[in-house]
Amino acid sequence: LNNSVYFSFYDLGKASYFETVKGKEIDWKDADIVIANIHADFFSPVFFKDSIAVQTTVAEIGNKSMRVLQQIINTQTKEIKAECSTIMVGFDVKLSTAKEISENWRKSGEEKKICCIMIRLHFIRSCRQCRVSGPDCSIMGRRSLHARPVWHLWQGHFCGV
């Protein structure tokens, strides 16, 4: 996988973590917290047939920021494939300035849980225009020249202290 895809996995991990800890779905349009910095280390590649998990926890929480730590691991070998440290800050959308982290976010950051989402990658061929998987395209009636590789993601999660 291209390293840029890892950040989508990290986003899924953060969303799953906060939704699990808060016990409800988060409306990200109204969220008063934003990402200020991301530092990622890539140790070894993830391949399309790998079963991986994203482990997420809040390591530190201050007045205006919190640090979220994440790891992508191979679930079969337990090898750490990549690590990420994200600084999230309280943000006032109307004033466009940093602010203290709201009590709502503070509580979720103080839970000190480790949440893990499992991700299985599958490599399929799909027609870009008709979205049909497999060798037949309804537009072309045969293997299409506009087919491209895509992957699908299945996720489940669990948390622990």
Side-chain angles (χ1 to χ4, degrees), residues 13-102:
K14 283 190 283 291
S16 180
Y17 176 87
F18 288 116
E19 287 178 355
T20 300
V21 170
K22 288 180 170 225
K24 64 179 183 176
E25 192 171 313
I26 295 170
D27 183 358
W28 291 101
K29 291 179 280 187
D30 294 330
D32 60 347
I33 192 165
V34 296
I35 294 173
N37 180 279
I38 296 177
H39 176 83
D41 292 310
F42 303 95
F43 304 124
S44 65
V46 172
F47 297 99
F48 281 103
K49 299 218 179 214
D50 289 349
S51 292
I52 60 171
V54 180
Q55 296 177 328
T56 305
T57 192
V58 173
E60 298 173 54
I61 189 159
N63 291 327
K64 292 186 177 183
S65 67
M66 71 172 78
R67 186 164 62 104
V68 179
L69 297 180
Q70 296 178 283
Q71 292 182 328
I72 294 176
I73 62 166
N74 181 309
T75 59
Q76 294 166 336
T77 66
K78 306 300 182 212
E79 177 186 12
I80 297 171
K81 299 290 194 167
E83 288 181 335
C84 180
S85 174
T86 303
I87 304 298
M88 301 183 79
V89 298
F91 189 72
D92 186 321
V93 178
K94 291 178 184 169
L95 299 176
S96 195
T97 60
K99 68 172 197 164
E100 285 194 12
I101 293 177
S102 67

